[in-house]
Amino acid sequence: MRAAAVFPTERRLAVVEDFPEPKIARPTDVKLRILSVGVCGTDREIASFVYGTPPEGYDYLVLGHEALGEVVETGSEAAGLFAPGDLGIPMVRIPCSDPNCAACRADRQDHCETLQYREHGIMRLHGFMTEYVVVDAKFLAPVPRALGRDAVLVEPMTIAEKAFIQVDHIAARLPWKSQRRAVVVGAGPVGLLGAMALRLRGYEVVVYSLERAPNPASGIVEAVGGRYVSSQDESTEQFAAKEGPFDLVYEAAGAPTAAFEVLKSMGPNGIFVLTGVPGRHGNVEFDTHGIMLNMVLKNQCLLGTVNAGRDAFDLAVADLMKIQSQWPGVLDRIVTGRHKLENFAEPVLRPTGIKNVVDL
Ligand SMILES: [Zn+2]
Ligand SMILES: [Zn+2]
């Protein structure tokens, strides 16, 4: 069968035509026919050979970690959980094998302590940009058919859900509702989905991003009742003075300079969430004294978060369903490009629009 692959040593991308079709090997296995795979910046970095590790014995890595699949076959034990025709989202990260890793042994590999985890399409495991995959039922989140093709957004939505589960834990340190005003930095898919999740939770949301409005992303932000400000119209200082202070900052741009500038505009008891993986840039100077002073005197919290647990997958599905009914059609506006497998290099290397998807 066909698979979209990256050959890191040869530094090339190609469709492998004879990728072996996987078979059910264990009673807990589920075989999926892949319907769609979302493309993101991680794929682009892998395709630029910045990182990405093929599984042992392979000179290539099959790309793709944001997949929507349809169950075609199950092992005997998985049969109680999934039936042919069901839709599911395979989880990206698989636990490490260290018996002493408390996180992985508790099925919370998103908090793996050894960092020896494997990730589909990223680290030592083939990805989902192929026709069929076999995964353990434990690492497959069910999706109702009603969510339709928007379900390809579940994996990027889990980033927001995991973040807000943690924000709720931190906010619980105060006996009143302390989280009201949020800024989302970055208007890519993770930022937009985060903004929607925050609107569902009743936050006042302003999205701060590079491109001038009106643009497709600013239209989406306004459609869900948020506001959009371009950094070309307001410098971070102007923006912070006008819009701040914020109770929550959700950083989804991977832009260290903007992130730490916005950090200054966080209010008392504020929570700052970092989700964007920064590219390699030169060092930037910061007023570390001011940042530290502010954080201490205002009881602020800085939180980094990556990947997601099963609870976040279930919440992502539930919230996407809510978004579909509250703001019909808005999720469709995030997916701006649909591509065929043979053309996968195009959206991976030269993405346009907001979110690109490869349909199998
Ligand atoms: Zn991704
Ligand atoms: Zn682990």
Side-chain angles (χ1 to χ4, degrees), residues 40 42-43 65-66 155 355:
C40 78
T42 301
D43 301 303
H65 58 273
E66 301 181 2
E155 198 281 334
K355 183 79 176 172

Side-chain angles (χ1 to χ4, degrees), residues 93-105 108-117:
R93 190 180 283 188
I94 300 302
C96 75
S97 56
D98 191 326
N100 296 317
C101 180
C104 286
R105 302 293 69 81
R108 285 309 301 263
Q109 57 272 20
D110 57 317
H111 284 278
C112 178
E113 293 171 345
T114 65
L115 303 180
Q116 297 303 308
Y117 54 78

